[in-house]
Amino acid sequence: MDRISTAQAATMPVEFKLNGRTVVGRSDETLIETAKHYGIDIPHLCYKEGMRPDGNCRACVV
Amino acid sequence: MENSGLRGLGGAGFPAGRKWKSVAAEPAPRLLAINIDEGEPGTFKDRWYLERDPHRFIEGALVAAWAVCIDEIYIYLRDEYHGCRAILEKEIAALRKNPPCKLPPVHLRRGAGAYICGEESAMIESIEGKRGMPRLRPPYVAQVGLFNRPTLEHNMETLHWVREILEKGADWFASHGRNGRKGLRSFSVSGRVKKPGVHLAPAGITVKELIAEYCGGMLDGHKFYGYLPGGASGGILPASMGDIPLDFDTLNQYGCFIGSAAVVILSDKDRAGAAARNLTKFFSEESCGQCTPCRVGTAKTLTLIGKAKWDQPLLKELSDAMMDASICGLGQAAPNPVLSVMKYFPNEVA
C-alpha cells in the first residue's frame, strides 16, 4: 500500500452517524465544524472559530 | 505486577501493571509522578505509611523507574503533611548520599492546599507551576503528561505494595481477600467507632465486619446508622446495606464506589443529609472553576439542599448534567452524596 503524507492523512474522510444520518467529515475538522456543514448548529458558548478550543463551558458536549 | 491484580489505590483503581506497560511503550524521556496529595476527605493511609515506613514506597518507585525506564521522579506532597515533609527530605537526602542503584533525580514538590491537585492532570499542572486545573483527556497522561513527557503517575500506596508483591509473588497479594474478592486494602476508618485509624484488611470485607473485627465496634451509646464507603466522592449508604463487600466494582451498582477506601461511620446521632451538605460545601469550595457543570452545579446543589424540603427532580436533573459533562472526577462525583441521600435516606428529605 502506498504511504500517505501527514498532510494527506489530516484530510482523510471520516464517516460517522450524526443524529442517525451518515455524514462525512475531515480528520482535521472538529465535530462542530462538520455538523455545521450539514446544517446542524451544536449549541456552544466558549468556542470561537479561529481561537484555541478550550472546551470548558461543556454546552457542546454530545 | 499485572498478575497480582494490583490496582491504583488513590481512587481511580487503574491496573498498575497495565499502566507500567503503556508508559514503557512510549518514547523517552519518561517521568514518574507520585501523588501524595491525599486530599480525599477521610483518607489518611498515605500519611500513616509515610510516618512509619517511607522507604517502602520509595523502593517501589525505584523498581518502577527501573522497569519503565524513568528519567526523573517527582513527588507531590500534601502541604498540610509538614511532619512527613521533614521525614521525606531527610530520607531523600540519605538516598542520594548512598543510592542502592542508579538513582534518577528525585524532586520533592509541595502542594498548596487544593483538593483538585490530587487529580492526576491537575497535579501535573501544579508541578509545572500552573493553576491546578485538570486537563481534557485524550491525550492521556501516559502519552502526554508532566512537561509534555510520557508520565507514569501513581498514588503513593500503590508503589508501597510493589516490594512485597515482588518478594512474595503475584499470587500472594491475590491470595488475600474475602467474600469472593481479591487483595488487601488499607481502610482509613473514622467516625463513630471505638478504634478509628488505618486498618489493613482483606479486600471485600463488609463494613459491619470491619467495624466488629477491626474497629472494636461502635462507640458506646451509638447505633450504626450509615457509612461513607469511599470518602466524600463515594456516596452514602445506610446501615441496612452494611453487608456489601467493600472493593473495586462491588459498590457501583448502588451508585457508590470505594475510591481511596476512606470509610466514615455514621451513627444514630448523625444525619446523612447533614453529611451531604458538608460534602457538597466541600466540593463547591474545591471546584477549580474551569467547567460550568461543576463550578455552577456544586454551588447550585448547595443552595437547593439548604432548604428543608429538597426539590428532588431538579436535583436529579442537575446531577445528571454534572455527571455527564464535567471535565474531571470532582464534578462527576460531587452529586453522589446528594443522590445517595435521596435514594437511601428518603425519610430525611421527603
Side-chain angles (χ1 to χ4, degrees):
Chain A
M1 194 179 145
D2 291 337
R3 300 189 57 192
I4 53 171
S5 71
T6 319
Q8 282 175 298
T11 63
M12 293 276 277
V14 179
E15 198 179 87
F16 61 99
K17 279 218 149 82
L18 180 58
N19 287 351
R21 176 182 167 198
T22 304
V23 300
V24 181
R26 283 160 53 128
S27 48
D28 64 343
E29 215 176 34
T30 63
L31 276 178
I32 282 185
E33 289 163 340
T34 306
K36 199 163 163 210
H37 290 319
Y38 284 88
I40 296 171
D41 195 19
I42 297 180
H44 54 279
L45 292 166
C46 71
Y47 168 74
K48 190 169 170 70
E49 215 167 315
M51 299 191 74
R52 179 195 70 200
D54 275 339
N56 50 42
C57 78
R58 315 307 275 172
C60 72
V61 168
V62 293
Chain B
M1 286 303 299
E2 276 186 312
N3 294 342
S4 70
L6 180 70
R7 289 169 65 168
L9 299 169
F14 193 92
R18 203 203 303 176
K19 203 189 271 193
W20 288 22
K21 265 192 166 157
S22 85
V23 177
E26 295 293 322
R30 308 172 196 84
L31 307 176
L32 169 61
I34 305 174
N35 190 335
I36 320 183
D37 196 57
E38 190 150 77
E40 188 63 48
T43 318
F44 40 87
K45 58 180 177 72
D46 293 342
R47 174 184 171 173
W48 174 271
Y49 287 123
L50 248 184
E51 288 171 342
R52 283 153 184 78
D53 190 359
H55 307 103
R56 206 177 281 232
F57 94 86
I58 293 174
E59 189 171 355
L62 293 179
V63 172
W66 166 82
V68 178
C69 299
I70 296 288
D71 290 88
E72 287 191 56
I73 299 176
Y74 285 80
I75 302 172
Y76 191 83
L77 177 66
R78 178 182 173 88
D79 207 38
E80 289 93 328
Y81 288 170
H82 39 84
C84 295
R85 188 167 77 247
I87 293 172
L88 263 182
E89 282 171 347
K90 182 160 168 271
E91 297 313 317
I92 292 171
L95 191 66
R96 286 194 191 110
K97 248 179 134 181
N98 188 16
C101 61
K102 179 165 157 288
L103 192 68
V106 179
H107 309 275
L108 177 58
R109 293 296 186 87
R110 296 168 62 167
Y115 167 69
I116 191 59
C117 286
E119 197 279 336
E120 64 174 7
S121 66
M123 181 185 90
I124 284 171
E125 290 280 300
S126 179
I127 295 174
E128 292 182 0
K130 292 141 58 186
R131 289 155 72 194
M133 298 209 283
R135 296 175 174 176
L136 274 68
R137 266 73 52 87
Y140 292 97
V141 154
Q143 280 79 50
V144 180
L146 183 55
F147 304 120
N148 281 330
R149 299 310 314 164
T151 302
L152 176 62
E153 189 272 352
H154 271 314
N155 169 258
M156 185 204 113
E157 197 200 347
T158 311
L159 291 172
H160 174 97
W161 288 105
V162 170
R163 173 184 121 191
E164 214 162 347
I165 286 172
L166 293 178
E167 273 184 339
K168 298 183 174 163
D171 293 339
W172 164 80
F173 192 75
S175 72
H176 296 276
R178 198 188 282 198
N179 297 319
R181 311 303 303 178
K182 293 196 169 104
L184 289 164
R185 207 62 205 256
S186 308
F187 291 93
S188 306
V189 188
S190 60
R192 309 293 202 175
V193 292
K194 286 206 166 98
K195 287 197 282 176
V198 176
H199 297 292
L200 182 62
I205 196 170
T206 70
V207 75
K208 283 186 183 161
E209 290 167 348
L210 191 58
I211 294 171
E213 296 172 36
Y214 289 80
C215 303
M218 296 293 290
L219 284 169
D220 293 336
H222 287 257
K223 188 160 167 280
F224 182 36
Y225 176 66
Y227 65 111
L228 278 61
S233 316
I236 312 175
L237 289 169
S240 59
M241 293 172 76
D243 298 303
I244 303 171
L246 299 174
D247 193 15
F248 296 113
D249 308 327
T250 53
L251 293 150
N252 305 53
Q253 59 186 292
Y254 307 105
C256 296
F257 60 86
I258 193 171
S260 57
V263 178
V264 183
I265 307 297
L266 306 175
S267 76
D268 54 348
K269 309 245 190 289
D270 303 306
R271 294 286 102 187
R277 284 191 186 95
N278 177 297
L279 301 174
T280 304
K281 181 154 195 280
F282 173 78
F283 287 126
S284 75
E285 287 169 348
E286 296 295 330
S287 170
C288 77
Q290 188 185 182
C291 73
T292 308
C294 174
R295 183 185 69 248
V296 176
T298 51
K300 180 75 180 176
T301 303
L302 190 59
T303 308
L304 289 172
I305 65 177
K307 304 188 191 323
K309 187 170 185 303
W310 293 8
D311 182 347
Q312 301 201 29
L314 183 57
L315 278 165
K316 181 85 195 7
E317 194 189 331
L318 177 55
S319 298
D320 282 345
M322 292 171 70
M323 294 190 297
D324 280 343
S326 295
I327 290 177
C328 83
L330 193 162
Q332 289 155 15
N336 286 345
V338 167
L339 290 172
S340 293
V341 171
M342 295 196 298
K343 195 164 179 199
Y344 301 117
F345 300 87
N347 48 298
E348 284 196 26
V349 294

